[in-house]
Structure formats: C-alpha cells, structure tokens
Amino acid sequence: MAPGRLTALHPSASRKVLNKDKRQSLHVERKKTRENKRRDERFRRKREEDKDPRLREERHRRNVPRTIDRKRIWDEVKDDEDEAGLGVSVDLERLKRQRLDEEAEDASESISDSLDGIRASDQDDDADSMLDPEDAEGHVDDDQSSKRRMNSMGDLDRPRAASPVASSVSVNLDLTPATLAAKFPALFSSEPPPVPKILVTTSINSTLHDEARLITTLLPHSVYIPRSAHHYGHKFSVREISSFAFNRKYTAVAVLKEDQKRPTGLSIVHLPHGPTFHFSITNWVEGKKLPGHGNPTEHAPELILNNFRTPLGILTAHLFRSLFPPQPELEGRQVVTLHNQRDYIFVRRHRYVFRDKRPTEKNVVGPDGKAVKGAEEIRAGLQELGPRFTMKLRRIDKGIGRAGSNGEVEWEWKGAMDKQRTKFQL
C-alpha cells in the first residue's frame, strides 16, 4: 500500500514514527526532558523553602496521603444505646471530644449572657446620680473582675491541638459506654482485675503441640494441657473444659484450632460465664524463623493496644487486657503489641533496649513532624521474639461457645461487612 493511501486511511500514522530505533530515541529524549523539568522544579522549590521555611511547613501540611484509613467513614448515632451497639462503627474518642466541646460552648454562652446582664445593670447604676464616689469605685472594681473572668473563660474558645496519628496512639479504655459495660459486666468490672491464669488447649486430635506451647510463652501464667487423642479417651467439650478450669481458679481458656497442621483459629473463653471470642489466624511465623530473633523470658510483658476505637474494638481490647497482668515486670524489657488496622489485629512481641544515638542517625520525629524534645541523644533498639501472626475477629458468643449461649450471638462477621472498603468494625 502506498504511503499516501496509508496516511489517508489513518491520519494518526502521519504523526507516528515508523522506524523503531527512532521511536526509542525520541521516547528517551522526552523522558529526559520530563525528568529535567521535574528536577528543576524541585530545586527551585527547595531554594524558595530555604528562604522561607513556612512554605515547607505548608507543603508538608497539604501533602497528606489519602489512604483508606484516612477515608474511613463512621456511622451517625442518635442516643447512648446506639452508641454502645457492637455493630455500630463510631469513634468513641471523637464523639466524647465533640460532646465536651458542645458543653464548653454552652458554658461559655451562658457565662457571656450573665456578663451581658451584669454590664447592663452596671450601666443602669452608673446612670443613677444618687451614687456616692465610694460606690462608684466599687463598681469599677466589679468591671475589672468581670473582665478578668471573661479573659479566663476565653480559653474555652481556644482551638485544640491536632491529635497525633491514630495508629500511634494507645487505646483509651476509659471511653467505655455505660450500656456496653452493663452488657458485659465480667469484662468491665470496677474492681481491680485478678492475676490472669489461662488454660491453653487445642482442638480434638490436634498436632499443634509446639504452637500451643508458644502461646503459653506469649500469655503469662498460662498452662498447656493437650486434649486426649486416644481412641477410647473421653472427648471433653469446651464447656466441660471451662468448668474444669474455673474450679481450679483459671480466669480464661484459649483453644487453638488447626487445619492442615497449621494454626487457623483461636477461641478465648472468659470464665466463668463467657463471653467467647472467636478469631481466625493467618501468617503464623515462629520466633526461630525470624531473622535476628531473640529468646523470650518468663517476665510478664508490657501490653500495647493500638487503634481500637469502636465499641466492638473497646470490648476486644478489654478482653486482651484481661489476659495480661496489670503490673508488668519491667526488668524483662518485653512488650507485646496488638495493633489493629482495617480490622486485622497484628500480634508482635519484642525486647527493647535504650542506647545512645549514633552520629549517622536522625532525630526522633513525633506525629507533628517535629523532633521530640528530650530524646535527642537516646534511641530504642528492638529485637523481635515471636511468634508473629495476624488475627481477625469472627464471632462473639454471649456464653461459653455457641451451645452454651443458647444460640445468642452478640456479634458475627459477615462477608457483606467488607464490601465497603472504607468502613471498619474495630
């Protein structure tokens, strides 16, 4: 076909270079031109920001990545009962902050109204010619005191400081709604929690003996008792095991589940009457398979609970808190982290050590992007101990298991809950 006929049939063919080598060279030239333009723009911006650091702060403030966590949506609640529902996705901390702000605004408005009334009465008194000079001086003092009260109340309208990133803040367990505490009195008792004593076992005919022993190293004051796999042995149910454990002063029962010789689930029963939490387990990695791992000791670890914000998340956090002693043994320098992100709970255990800062290391930066004062010459080193795994909450039974709850399920995960990617349950 003639070139003129090709151009007539395909107008874009006139702009396309038919030679492959020439097309590649043109692409490389365009790419270099684009990169040079970006580099010049970057250096120009750097020179301007060096002259005026406020431009850099403004750019950092604007350049916030729009992740799924930042796009998270919340449900609207009308009363306290809706707020305490386990199926409601509501940020309890933000809700409490809004209520405190509303109360502060109401208080400031009432005080301003009262001050306006005082001023009006003062003006009426000043207009009276029968006042003595001493009384007039007294009224001046009253005006000064009222101004001082106004200045002190002006702090209520002062803007709040920006909150740090949610993933770096521990859970505030004092935000528990009263209706949720009344629904689960065993987990939200006002009395100091007892020292935990946990019985760890597995499903029937399980082979996860080593993994169950690793769970006992993770949970302080826990004992592993294997379930009988003998052909003529009695197959004890979870309710019978829970009754046995409660009679021997245990506070919880943990049942490790198995599929194809790998741990796939963990059920935790809070004694004596429940509730029962069912978790699925994925990405199980033993400590000895981690590079540079350490060996755990028998010291009670510190517990860090991150990003549990909804009523369901607060309830789950209280369960995990009941599994660890309230007073950790700091000489062991061990810490267990349960980090919730997008309804997945990442379990990690580390040993930390404080050391001096190396010359090549940068300063520790806080959530606001500025260097943390007091930590200029100190660094924390971490060594992972294991095991490492990920959990996801699947169901909460009111009693001991589904059979012990008479079919009453407090909450259960369903596939439709993950259809909306910006809404989370914990």
Side-chain angles (χ1 to χ4, degrees):
M1 184 179 294
R5 184 174 178 82
L6 177 63
T7 305
L9 292 177
H10 302 283
S12 62
S14 61
R15 298 191 298 270
K16 181 178 180 181
V17 180
L18 300 180
N19 188 293
K20 181 179 179 181
D21 295 335
K22 186 64 174 177
R23 289 200 308 271
Q24 290 180 350
S25 61
L26 290 175
H27 173 68
V28 171
E29 291 178 2
R30 286 194 296 266
K31 187 175 180 180
K32 286 183 178 179
T33 303
R34 185 169 61 250
E35 291 177 353
N36 291 337
K37 185 178 179 180
R38 291 178 178 175
R39 185 179 65 253
D40 295 341
E41 178 67 21
R42 189 167 61 250
F43 284 131
R44 182 191 62 79
R45 185 174 64 243
K46 184 177 184 300
R47 289 192 297 269
E48 294 178 355
E49 291 176 351
D50 290 340
K51 296 179 181 179
D52 189 359
R54 292 178 297 178
L55 297 176
R56 182 180 290 108
E57 296 179 359
E58 180 66 19
R59 179 172 60 86
H60 288 169
R61 187 185 63 82
R62 293 195 312 266
N63 293 345
V64 177
R66 290 183 58 82
T67 61
I68 293 181
D69 294 327
R70 293 188 179 274
K71 296 179 182 179
R72 182 173 183 176
I73 61 176
W74 305 94
D75 294 333
E76 296 293 336
V77 295
K78 298 180 180 179
D79 51 13
D80 295 341
E81 293 184 0
D82 294 339
E83 175 187 337
L86 296 182
V88 178
S89 178
V90 57
D91 189 356
L92 296 178
E93 185 173 1
R94 186 180 64 175
L95 193 63
K96 183 177 181 179
R97 190 183 302 119
Q98 291 177 356
R99 292 178 178 176
L100 291 177
D101 293 341
E102 292 176 357
E103 293 176 359
E105 291 178 359
D106 295 340
S108 61
E109 290 178 358
S110 61
I111 292 175
S112 62
D113 295 340
S114 62
L115 292 177
D116 292 339
I118 293 174
R119 292 196 195 95
S121 62
D122 291 344
Q123 291 176 358
D124 295 340
D125 295 339
D126 293 339
D128 192 354
S129 60
M130 298 299 292
L131 288 176
D132 295 333
E134 297 179 357
D135 295 337
E137 293 177 358
H139 283 284
V140 171
D141 296 338
D142 293 339
D143 292 339
Q144 294 178 356
S145 61
S146 63
K147 290 180 180 179
R148 286 195 296 269
R149 287 197 299 269
M150 287 181 61
N151 294 332
S152 63
M153 293 308 300
D155 297 338
L156 297 175
D157 299 332
R158 189 174 299 168
R160 289 178 174 271
S163 300
V165 183
S167 60
S168 64
V169 179
S170 298
V171 179
N172 186 3
L173 297 179
D174 296 333
L175 299 175
T176 304
T179 54
L180 184 63
K183 198 173 185 178
F184 299 95
L187 290 175
F188 298 98
S189 177
S190 59
E191 300 178 357
V195 178
K197 184 180 179 183
I198 306 168
L199 188 148
V200 179
T201 185
T202 59
S203 55
I204 298 177
N205 300 331
S206 176
T207 61
L208 300 180
H209 304 293
D210 295 336
E211 288 79 359
R213 292 189 182 93
L214 287 177
I215 293 293
T216 59
T217 63
L218 182 66
L219 301 176
H221 310 296
S222 59
V223 180
Y224 169 54
I225 300 179
R227 296 176 76 172
S228 174
H230 194 270
H231 179 69
Y232 298 103
H234 179 70
K235 305 299 188 296
F236 290 97
S237 65
V238 177
R239 296 178 63 184
E240 293 174 333
I241 295 174
S242 301
S243 177
F244 167 87
F246 179 68
N247 294 333
R248 286 156 182 80
K249 306 301 182 182
Y250 285 92
T251 60
V253 173
V255 182
L256 188 63
K257 299 180 181 179
E258 170 190 14
D259 185 22
Q260 296 183 356
K261 297 185 179 181
R262 293 184 61 85
T264 58
L266 182 66
S267 297
I268 300 176
V269 182
H270 188 272
L271 299 179
H273 305 298
T276 304
F277 290 73
H278 302 273
F279 300 91
S280 61
I281 292 180
T282 55
N283 303 329
W284 176 278
V285 181
E286 298 180 2
K288 62 183 180 182
K289 294 183 180 180
L290 297 173
H293 71 90
N295 296 322
T297 60
E298 295 182 356
H299 295 91
E302 303 174 52
L303 179 63
I304 297 178
L305 299 170
N306 276 348
N307 208 22
F308 294 91
R309 307 170 70 177
T310 64
L312 182 63
I314 294 293
L315 178 63
T316 308
H318 272 273
L319 171 75
F320 290 134
R321 188 187 68 163
S322 65
L323 301 179
F324 291 86
Q327 296 296 333
E329 299 176 356
L330 300 179
E331 60 270 18
R333 295 182 289 108
Q334 295 183 154
V335 56
V336 174
T337 304
L338 297 170
H339 176 72
N340 170 50
Q341 186 171 358
R342 304 180 189 179
D343 290 345
Y344 289 93
I345 303 173
F346 299 91
V347 182
R348 301 291 185 268
R349 176 169 56 168
H350 295 87
R351 179 181 291 115
Y352 61 88
V353 61
F354 294 106
R355 57 176 177 80
D356 296 333
K357 174 188 172 184
R358 300 189 182 98
T360 57
E361 292 179 335
K362 298 181 179 180
N363 292 329
V364 178
V365 179
D368 55 353
K370 299 181 181 179
V372 178
K373 296 182 180 180
E376 292 82 0
E377 302 298 331
I378 300 176
R379 286 296 177 274
L382 293 178
Q383 182 185 35
E384 191 167 358
L385 307 179
R388 172 198 295 181
F389 57 95
T390 306
M391 298 192 301
K392 186 170 184 177
L393 183 62
R394 298 295 179 176
R395 193 174 79 244
I396 299 178
D397 296 325
K398 186 176 182 180
I400 300 177
R402 192 185 291 270
S405 304
N406 296 324
E408 296 185 20
V409 178
E410 295 293 344
W411 181 87
E412 187 173 8
W413 177 87
K414 296 181 181 179
M417 294 180 179
D418 292 344
K419 188 175 182 180
Q420 194 171 4
R421 296 185 61 194
T422 56
K423 186 176 181 180
F424 307 109
Q425 304 298 321
L426 299 181

